[in-house]
Amino acid sequence: MSQFISVSSRLRRTPFSVGVEASGVKSYTVYNHMLLPTVFESVESDCAHLKSAVQVWDVSAERQVELNGPDAAWLLQMATPRNLGPMQDDQCYYVPLVAADGRMLNDPVAVRLGPNRFWVSIADTDAMLYFKGLASALRLNVAVFEPDVSPMAIQGPLADELASRVWGDGVRSLRFFRHMPVNVGGKTMVLARSGWSKQGGFELYLDGAEHGMEIWEQLFDLGADLGVRAGCPNQIERIEGGLLSFGSDITLYNTPFEAGLGRFVHDVPECLANQALKGLRDAARQVRPLDLDGAPVPPLKEPWPMHVDGEYAGTLRSAAWSPEFGTNVAIGMVEAAYYVPGARITVRCPDGDREAVVRGAYWR
Ligand code: THG
């Protein structure tokens, strides 16, 4: 089942798909109705390489929702409790998107391109439909659409070296979650210091498909001596770093507090969830890192139930063997009685029960 994806024009390819295939992609997932590579060599060796060199990732599936017009900032603020007031024109914000009932819709990166223009770089739910619904029902003066923009990430300890060979030394001083204009094939595009790994690096928002393979090949030419490889978001590294995966670790049924995103919930009257969120602060469950005992875990195909002395304790949502830390690293949605560091929980894995310990922090 996990080896095959039927292709059709409904399942979108990306401007980099040709390069990804030439680099020997082993598996994909589907994300925002688009191909997202998940493995090149093996999850373990992809992880080791990501931590030691530099990788180029086709993350086009992080689709953009463009909000463009005088009401753009208002529309975005209606959908997130994070105060957008201080946001600068060169800034990116990680924002929970929350419906009026206080439940999460998505956890995108918002990119501010100007006072009246944002890209909302979404995780895997159809968030554009929510923005379109609000904009049309409230007759807002804003265009809501998916532009032809495809993110490509450059991640790893040698990311600065590689990016500076393409765009000059100016990229080295770009701060975390800030963006700057760069030239790609004669066109000005957005380069941000961000990416779904803790190894550092950049994301280029490729504007139009036209220059995609050209910049892809340039990165491989200029980075040959750095050992650059095609890569993709890595399940081990992102669990170690506590980067949440919407749909896996958190879902449409969770509040931002349950998702561990309470630090982004401010008292913002424009946010439609403002009142609802005030009553949801005491989370009945919360996302937690866990060390999971035993040999490398089998693939997690669905959440694994957790219990303590026969009592329900939550579900394990993501798990992988970490060669670096010599344990299975995991993320669970843990019931309040057990979400304290050091709590011992039994996890019902497909190959039998295993013990897990709630950690106080992620591994890096
Ligand atoms: N980059 C871009 N778009 C994206 C993602 C991305 N869309 C989908 C998905 N990833 C959205 N989810 C996340 C989750 C975590 C982060 C970014 C996007 C992230 N978090 C940092 C952390 O937790 O350390 C910083 C959060 C903060 O601002 O404090 O980077 O990766 N374009």
Side-chain angles (χ1 to χ4, degrees):
M1 162 282 239
S2 52
Q3 286 85 341
F4 304 100
I5 295 179
S6 295
V7 293
S8 70
S9 42
R10 217 170 33 69
L11 172 50
R12 300 180 287 180
R13 288 168 66 79
T14 85
F16 311 108
S17 290
V18 169
V20 162
E21 286 164 1
S23 299
V25 65
K26 289 232 171 67
S27 65
Y28 290 106
T29 189
V30 177
Y31 194 95
N32 287 321
H33 317 280
M34 196 173 233
L35 288 172
L36 174 63
T38 52
V39 178
F40 280 85
E41 272 191 15
S42 72
V43 181
E44 289 79 11
S45 68
D46 289 356
C47 182
H49 179 262
L50 169 63
K51 290 171 179 177
S52 63
V54 57
Q55 296 184 344
V56 177
W57 296 1
D58 175 7
V59 283
S60 303
E62 297 168 350
R63 300 314 289 166
Q64 308 307 300
V65 179
E66 179 161 338
L67 313 179
N68 193 332
D71 291 334
W74 182 27
L75 175 58
L76 183 54
Q77 189 67 86
M78 277 192 255
T80 182
R82 181 165 180 184
N83 179 19
L84 303 176
M87 195 176 189
Q88 305 292 303
D89 285 348
D90 68 342
Q91 220 168 354
C92 311
Y93 269 13
Y94 181 39
V95 293
L97 286 192
V98 182
D101 63 0
R103 307 279 151 183
M104 300 272 302
L105 294 168
N106 201 290
D107 71 331
V109 175
V111 184
R112 183 167 146 135
L113 301 165
N116 300 320
R117 187 172 177 226
F118 295 82
W119 281 338
V120 184
S121 186
I122 60 172
D124 188 22
T125 71
D126 294 313
M128 181 176 70
L129 304 180
Y130 185 73
F131 287 111
K132 273 187 183 287
L134 287 182
S136 48
L138 297 171
R139 300 180 189 282
L140 302 185
N141 190 356
V142 61
V144 178
F145 59 98
E146 186 186 291
D148 183 13
V149 169
S150 299
M152 183 202 67
I154 304 168
Q155 300 285 298
L158 302 181
D160 277 60
E161 177 58 30
L162 179 54
S164 71
R165 291 181 186 184
V166 181
W167 294 294
D169 276 330
V171 301
R172 294 181 187 273
S173 46
L174 185 61
R175 286 185 287 153
F176 186 61
F177 268 50
R178 298 277 169 163
H179 62 81
M180 63 183 278
V182 291
N183 183 311
V184 177
K187 207 167 168 179
T188 302
M189 300 192 190
V190 173
L191 182 75
R193 187 176 294 275
S194 55
W196 212 58
S197 88
K198 291 279 186 180
Q199 303 308 310
F202 304 90
E203 290 179 303
L204 173 71
Y205 290 81
L206 183 78
D207 192 346
E210 196 188 352
H211 301 294
M213 281 313 298
E214 179 183 317
I215 187 69
W216 178 274
E217 275 160 12
Q218 196 186 356
L219 286 161
F220 284 88
D221 288 344
L222 294 176
D225 63 308
L226 303 176
V228 64
R229 284 197 210 161
C232 51
N234 184 276
Q235 180 74 345
I236 302 167
E237 199 274 349
R238 74 95 185 164
I239 295 174
E240 292 170 350
L243 294 169
L244 298 179
S245 174
F246 200 95
S248 295
D249 307 321
I250 54 178
T251 73
L252 294 164
Y253 298 100
N254 293 125
T255 70
F257 303 108
E258 293 173 347
L261 300 177
R263 65 187 182 282
F264 300 123
V265 179
H266 305 139
D267 190 0
V268 183
E270 291 88 346
C271 172
L272 300 177
N274 192 246
Q275 279 308 317
L277 288 170
K278 286 180 179 163
L280 293 168
R281 287 200 164 262
D282 289 324
R285 57 198 65 79
Q286 239 180 53
V287 158
R288 282 290 181 273
L290 300 104
D291 285 302
L292 180 60
D293 281 357
V297 279
L300 191 154
K301 297 182 182 176
E302 58 195 333
W304 294 338
M306 305 194 291
H307 54 271
V308 174
D309 298 331
E311 195 179 325
Y312 177 74
T315 49
L316 204 77
R317 315 290 316 192
S318 300
W321 174 259
S322 164
E324 181 179 347
F325 295 98
T327 181
N328 292 299
V329 293
I331 297 177
M333 184 60 75
V334 184
E335 293 298 301
Y338 311 105
Y339 66 41
V340 290
R344 300 194 64 84
I345 299 181
T346 305
V347 182
R348 183 140 303 152
C349 301
D351 57 358
D353 282 0
R354 296 182 188 221
E355 292 306 299
V357 180
V358 175
R359 292 171 60 93
Y362 288 91
W363 291 262
R364 73 175 77 256

